[in-house]
Amino acid sequence: MTYDLDRRTLLRGGLFATGLLAAAPLLAACGDDEPSTEATGAAGAIGAGSLRLSWVKNVEFAGAYIADTNGYYKEEGFTSFELIGGGPTATPAETDVVTGKALIGISAPDTAAAAILKGAPIKVIGAEFQKNPFCILSMADNPIKTVADLKGKKIGVQATNEAIWAAFLKANNIDPASLEKVPVQFDPMPLTTGTVDGWMSFITNEPNALRLKGFEVETMMFADNNYPLVSEVYVVKTETIEKRRATLKAFIRAQAKGWKENLKNPEIGAKLAVEKYGKDLGLELEEQILESKDGNKLILTPDTEKNGLFTVTPELIQQNIETLKFAGLEITAERLFDLSIVEEVYKEDPSLV
């Protein structure tokens, strides 16, 4: 069993990534090099494109794998399209976007907000995950189903997730002294031995890893308990929004086509992750299929079924802005989000919804 468990250290825990925040003044200075015009129309007219993934090439990016394999990027006018993997030694996606290494980056609202507040000229133009993937994992014979169940319990929290954990407690008016936070690493096996009662994890990851080992588990999602941050958001330079709208629309259309395929059959993306894009990672197909199915549940909601993939309703945007305050991030919706690209895509082609 391979564990894809330490991604939180770079993605969600990356909220306070010193490399990103220290580089913010430089990033702001690098944000003015976009061309003023762009070619549109015929296949290959846009030129090369690139997407910086938020983590290594596992099934989490199934839609992009399908778009690439099925030629959707090329159909939309890209001469080539590079999928740039992330990982424990990778720079933040925001850095790669602003310095021009990647056209688009996949990140999280908290990470993006922190960068913007430090001067990075970026915005979020869409979100894959409509529900935050963090959860509290517990054993079925000692379940934690509600925030009230946390009282008196020992909860395993990774050091790099402590900021998010603290924000979650604040959002739910939970006194940290009412429970015991236990420092842990990322392999959830101590949960199975009773060392802790609960484990901070991704709904798509550790629960499935334990299920495949034969354990019965319970999960309580942060998204269902006053922590409604969207996730896997698309981050681009503000100048790209202004000067390369057709390019970004082409990207959104290709992504939507790819994700719609994976929503129909989650095994497609899992197989591409295991056999092609993440071939060197030692991924297990059964686990990747389970992760793909759970990821699909975070992507497809009544709102995205109605409005289209990657859209975020005004109500959910405002909930995100309010939630970020629990992490000490005061930012306006207008400064963080610009959903106009995605909205225009579905207005121009309702069949994509």
Side-chain angles (χ1 to χ4, degrees):
M1 176 70 64
T2 57
Y3 283 92
D4 176 25
L5 305 183
D6 58 343
R7 59 166 302 137
R8 268 67 85 201
T9 67
L10 276 298
L11 183 57
R12 319 301 176 215
L15 166 61
F16 302 107
T18 56
L20 172 61
L21 300 187
L26 173 61
L27 298 186
C30 294
D32 299 320
D33 57 356
E34 286 288 347
S36 58
T37 60
E38 61 177 334
T40 60
I46 290 175
S50 54
L51 174 64
R52 165 58 205 279
L53 309 179
S54 58
W55 190 238
V56 296
K57 294 179 179 179
N58 65 4
V59 74
E60 189 169 326
F61 313 104
Y65 303 154
I66 296 171
D68 184 48
T69 297
N70 290 359
Y72 297 150
Y73 295 126
K74 290 188 177 180
E75 286 180 8
E76 291 296 337
F78 291 100
T79 53
S80 63
F81 202 90
E82 182 182 8
L83 301 179
I84 305 170
T89 61
T91 56
E94 289 81 0
T95 302
D96 285 352
V97 167
V98 179
T99 57
K101 182 178 179 180
L103 178 66
I104 304 113
I106 297 180
S107 187
D110 44 16
T111 315
I116 291 169
L117 292 172
K118 290 293 183 177
I122 59 174
K123 282 191 176 183
V124 171
I125 65 167
E128 290 182 350
F129 286 178
Q130 300 293 300
K131 300 186 70 173
N132 193 279
F134 269 115
C135 73
I136 293 299
L137 171 65
S138 59
M139 303 305 293
D141 59 1
N142 183 28
I144 296 174
K145 297 182 178 181
T146 69
V147 291
D149 294 337
L150 291 170
K151 185 176 181 180
K153 297 294 177 62
K154 295 180 179 180
I155 308 298
V157 179
Q158 301 78 13
T160 48
N161 285 336
E162 288 189 1
I164 297 170
W165 173 245
F168 175 71
L169 294 183
K170 288 182 181 179
N172 287 280
N173 296 312
I174 298 173
D175 182 356
S178 68
L179 49 81
E180 182 179 351
K181 180 185 68 178
V182 179
V184 296
Q185 297 299 315
F186 294 93
D187 184 336
M189 290 307 291
L191 176 66
T192 68
T193 63
T195 302
V196 293
D197 303 303
W199 195 271
M200 189 171 173
S201 73
F202 264 26
I203 191 72
T204 56
N205 197 322
E206 292 93 326
N208 288 325
L210 290 187
R211 289 184 184 110
L212 289 177
K213 287 181 175 290
F215 295 103
E216 295 184 7
V217 300
E218 181 72 40
T219 57
M220 180 191 76
M221 291 192 65
F222 281 25
D224 296 332
N225 292 278
N226 301 316
Y227 202 82
L229 284 189
V230 294
S231 192
E232 299 300 87
V233 299
Y234 297 139
V235 175
V236 302
K237 285 192 284 188
T238 54
E239 196 163 12
T240 306
I241 298 174
E242 297 165 1
K243 298 182 178 180
R244 301 190 65 186
R245 297 184 72 82
T247 298
L248 293 178
K249 288 180 186 179
F251 164 74
I252 292 296
R253 287 193 295 267
Q255 287 291 106
K257 293 174 184 176
W259 274 114
K260 287 176 74 172
E261 291 297 319
N262 199 69
L263 289 169
K264 293 177 183 177
N265 183 358
E267 293 188 14
I268 297 175
K271 290 180 180 178
L272 286 174
V274 172
E275 299 173 2
K276 183 177 180 181
Y277 294 91
K279 185 176 181 180
D280 297 332
L281 298 177
L283 302 171
E284 296 184 6
L285 181 58
E286 186 177 5
E287 183 177 3
Q288 292 295 288
I289 291 173
L290 290 176
E291 184 169 338
S292 186
K293 290 179 178 179
D294 284 340
N296 283 351
K297 296 175 185 176
L298 303 178
I299 293 170
L300 191 62
T301 66
D303 286 330
T304 54
E305 282 190 285
K306 176 183 178 182
N307 302 320
L309 300 179
F310 322 135
T311 58
V312 186
T313 65
E315 294 78 12
L316 184 53
I317 287 177
Q318 190 55 43
Q319 290 172 17
N320 273 248
I321 296 303
E322 294 301 317
T323 302
L324 289 172
K325 294 178 181 178
F326 293 115
L329 296 168
E330 296 278 349
I331 192 169
T332 64
E334 295 73 22
R335 193 174 178 188
L336 179 58
F337 292 95
D338 184 341
L339 278 295
S340 63
I341 297 287
V342 173
E343 291 168 355
E344 288 176 16
V345 165
Y346 292 118
K347 183 177 181 181
E348 294 166 0
D349 187 359
S351 69
L352 283 173
V353 175

